[in-house]
Amino acid sequence: MLDVAVIEEPAAAEASLDPVRSRILAALAEPGSAAMLAGRLGLPRQKVNYHLKELERHGLVELAEERRKGNVTERIYAATAASYVISPRALSAVSPDPARSPDQLSAHWLLALGSRLVQEVGALVTGAARARRRVATFAVDAEVRFASAADRMAFAEELTQAVTALVSRYHDEAAPQGRTHRVIVGLHQIPGPPPAAPAAPGGTSGGPGPDPEADPEARQEHAR
């Protein structure tokens, strides 16, 4: 079983998004037959069997083993991965293109970069899995709380200068055996909890107070 499988085919993406099939995929973290899954999920066995065949047809589950019980053969299935990611390639006609309107302060451009990241890394993971090889990657994940929007912009400028200097130092266009890599550094505000329900007449909501950084400008400013 893979840690993560990348879904690139539209039909497979559609199959994985079906509510019943997504429950079956989650339940198949532990292999089971249609009858076993029906008991776990509280669904009719025939319904589970139908959805299993569809998931198998799209490569999302696979036959793990067959067990003989008297005159009946029990088919045990397992999910092909512990988790799944739908690549933007599945919606290639409408997936965002980072080259269309590059803007370091645009949330839409950040989403377009993220979409391309999922698509490119997904293709690498899929190819590596077929070749039974590892993918050489690197990532940094950190959180920073800024005292003000001015500090955020100053951070973005310093980060841009640092990344630009590193890229200039190590980039070698003439290297005969070189391999081109993509560097993406993103900065965005972490979404807060959903707003509290309106208070009853005469009462108080009891929800969290307003976030001083959650202003329209702060929500739209992003740095790479």
Side-chain angles (χ1 to χ4, degrees), residues 57-69:
R57 186 163 68 91
H58 294 295
L60 302 176
V61 305
E62 60 187 1
L63 182 65
E65 62 174 308
E66 293 184 335
R67 300 172 182 171
R68 191 73 178 175
K69 289 188 174 181

Side-chain angles (χ1 to χ4, degrees), residues 48-136:
V48 171
N49 193 54
Y50 165 76
H51 288 299
L52 273 175
K53 292 184 181 299
E54 287 299 302
L55 290 170
E56 183 182 24
R57 186 163 68 91
H58 294 295
L60 302 176
V61 305
E62 60 187 1
L63 182 65
E65 62 174 308
E66 293 184 335
R67 300 172 182 171
R68 191 73 178 175
K69 289 188 174 181
N71 295 327
V72 178
T73 300
E74 185 180 43
R75 297 167 63 86
I76 306 298
Y77 290 91
T80 54
S83 57
Y84 298 86
V85 173
I86 297 178
S87 170
R89 190 185 298 271
L91 295 170
S92 58
V94 292
S95 62
D97 180 6
R100 188 172 300 148
S101 55
D103 179 359
Q104 286 186 312
L105 301 181
S106 167
H108 297 94
W109 195 53
L110 180 59
L111 286 175
L113 291 175
S115 174
R116 185 180 64 188
L117 175 68
V118 172
Q119 182 170 329
E120 292 181 347
V121 176
L124 290 174
V125 169
T126 300
R130 291 171 180 163
R132 299 184 180 277
R133 300 180 63 181
R134 294 177 61 87
V135 179

